[in-house]
Amino acid sequence: MRYHRIPAETVRRLPVYLNALLLSLQQGKSISSSELSAIVGINPLQIRKDFSYFGGFGTRGVGYNIEKLIKKIKKILKLDSHHQAVLVGAGNLGSAVLAYPGFAAYGFQIAAAYDSDPAKIGKTINNITIEDAENIINLKKKNIKIGIIAVPRQQSQAIAQSLVNAGVTGILNFSPCRLAVPKRVKVITINIATDLARLPFYMPADKKIGFALNKRA
Amino acid sequence: MRYHRIPAETVRRLPVYLNALLLSLQQGKSISSSELSAIVGINPLQIRKDFSYFGGFGTRGVGYNIEKLIKKIKKILKLDSHHQAVLVGAGNLGSAVLAYPGFAAYGFQIAAAYDSDPAKIGKTINNITIEDAENIINLKKKNIKIGIIAVPRQQSQAIAQSLVNAGVTGILNFSPCRLAVPKRVKVITINIATDLARLPFYMPADKKIGFALNKRA
């Protein structure tokens, strides 16, 4: 079964549900959309709609079987097998990525890290020894398909090209720029400025502006 | 005029449009939804729908006036004035945030940074001297409303509480956990694992699985 029709916004929420469900496994066998809503902060109606894309299997008054739901979401997201990824760029951001505790829950493992700075090559961070970025092409033999780019903006396009040449088909990009890659390659860009830029919209108006606006939130 | 009815998913895309529009300012006076689509990688229909929430002001065959659109989006997102933010946690991730080049385009400036590690307090990163996290309460006098949390998961709730006590009403949270805050405070969590977890869904199936699935992308 394939799941082409699932909207991108639902795909964006599925890992959030998955994370919450994995944490809820200890608490019981089933979970209602309202209970899940309380954990993830997403409207229960939206949750039920998202789950309806892959067949409604909740039972009214009982909720969703947690284990079944985890299995289903993992299958849809192709997280039912483990994935190895490589990191390029071992600066502050890259080092934070190497130490990030959240990947294992989704079955991801960072298998190698690269940098072009001779001062960084050979160093070990979180059990990973930084290799020369010249060696990225060797990934081909390792059949690793996911690359994480945490290099300065000016270098990111060249690194994306090296990764694609080495057979990578999925890129998580931290550079605030759009990468040109072949159509078969999926890029997800994390731009922390665009996330920060959403914040003021939701913040209450400053008291100085006027009391009438104070209550919005 | 207030914009309560704009869906969260549209709000998520507005900063992406804004960024592209700011970059397009040099290229001309107007931009069509297809041209904008080519830059941001979002369907032109979706773009037109998003803009329709705050009044359709594109002209068929001519497109949108870039300057007007920038002004409008900035107003909606409350980015028409500058915002100061503080960072808590000056480890690898925090240091990367301090050096991040993308905030200025949206009018954000990091005005202070805190850590509880004596080895970090007093150090200067990108012209910001790290202060003792004990001093967070002093933010009250500075009227800074935005806090960025980049501390280890176990400390994030306590830091969120300190920020709220100091008058912060918007938090950008990098810890992979849900923060308990009063309703008036908006939290946006960046979880890089959930972003990575969306990647395999979009990646072409491995050749070993079967040639029939090869072409999806």
Side-chain angles (χ1 to χ4, degrees), chain A residues 118-179:
Chain A
K120 286 184 189 123
I121 297 165
K123 275 196 177 178
T124 298
I125 305 174
N126 259 48
N127 295 319
I128 303 277
T129 303
I130 315 299
E131 297 173 53
D132 190 333
E134 298 278 316
N135 298 336
I136 289 176
I137 192 69
N138 296 341
L139 283 182
K140 240 179 184 164
K141 295 173 220 153
K142 294 184 187 168
N143 201 34
I144 294 177
K145 300 292 183 190
I146 296 175
I148 303 173
I149 298 183
V151 301
R153 197 196 308 227
Q154 316 83 266
Q155 295 163 29
S156 53
Q157 180 60 48
I159 292 299
Q161 195 54 57
S162 309
L163 287 169
V164 170
N165 291 347
V168 160
T169 56
I171 292 175
L172 188 69
N173 172 37
F174 283 97
S175 292
C177 66
R178 206 168 148 72
L179 301 174

Side-chain angles (χ1 to χ4, degrees), chain A residues 2-4 6-9 11-13 15-16 19 37-41 76-79 83 85 91-93 95-97 100-103 106 108 143 145-148 153 169-172 174-176 178 183-184 186-188 190-206 208 212-213 216-217, chain B residues 2-4 6-9 11-13 15-16 19 37-41 76-79 83 85 91-93 95-97 100-103 106 108 143 145-148 153 169-172 174-176 178 183-184 186-188 190-206 208 212-213 216-217:
Chain A
R2 287 160 72 185
Y3 305 97
H4 274 171
I6 301 176
E9 296 307 340
V11 174
R12 186 188 293 279
R13 287 183 289 264
V16 179
N19 193 33
S37 169
I39 308 173
V40 297
I76 291 166
L77 293 177
K78 297 200 229 162
L79 297 176
H83 291 277
N92 280 319
L93 182 60
S95 302
V97 168
Y100 196 74
F103 295 134
Y106 296 106
F108 289 104
N143 201 34
K145 300 292 183 190
I146 296 175
I148 303 173
R153 197 196 308 227
T169 56
I171 292 175
L172 188 69
F174 283 97
S175 292
R178 206 168 148 72
K183 270 209 167 158
R184 68 175 188 284
K186 172 71 179 178
V187 177
I188 289 179
I190 297 188
N191 184 328
I192 60 177
T194 56
D195 282 312
L196 185 59
R198 285 188 290 138
L199 209 42
F201 177 84
Y202 294 104
M203 287 162 59
D206 204 311
K208 286 178 202 156
L213 288 169
R216 75 164 294 203
Chain B
R2 286 161 73 185
Y3 305 96
H4 275 168
I6 300 176
E9 296 307 341
V11 175
R12 187 189 291 280
R13 287 183 289 264
V16 179
N19 192 33
S37 167
I39 307 174
V40 297
I76 292 166
L77 293 177
K78 298 201 229 161
L79 297 176
H83 291 277
N92 281 320
L93 183 59
S95 302
V97 169
Y100 197 73
F103 295 134
Y106 296 106
F108 290 104
N143 202 33
K145 301 291 185 191
I146 296 175
I148 303 173
R153 198 196 309 226
T169 56
I171 292 176
L172 189 69
F174 282 97
S175 291
R178 206 168 147 72
K183 269 210 169 157
R184 66 174 190 285
K186 172 71 179 178
V187 177
I188 289 179
I190 297 187
N191 184 328
I192 60 177
T194 56
D195 282 312
L196 184 60
R198 286 187 291 138
L199 209 41
F201 177 83
Y202 294 105
M203 288 163 58
D206 203 310
K208 285 178 200 156
L213 287 169
R216 77 163 289 206

Side-chain angles (χ1 to χ4, degrees), chain B residues 1 3 6 10 14 17-18 21 29-33 36 47-76:
Chain B
M1 191 176 173
Y3 305 96
I6 300 176
T10 297
L14 290 182
Y17 300 144
L18 179 55
L21 291 167
K29 280 184 74 167
S30 59
I31 193 166
S32 68
S33 51
L36 188 53
I47 292 177
R48 290 199 291 274
K49 197 179 167 198
D50 285 339
F51 291 170
S52 76
Y53 285 110
F54 40 96
F57 43 88
T59 312
R60 189 174 270 278
V62 176
Y64 300 93
N65 178 295
I66 297 176
E67 265 184 57
K68 265 194 195 165
L69 200 48
I70 288 174
K71 238 180 163 170
K72 196 94 177 180
I73 295 177
K74 277 193 174 173
K75 196 176 171 196
I76 292 166

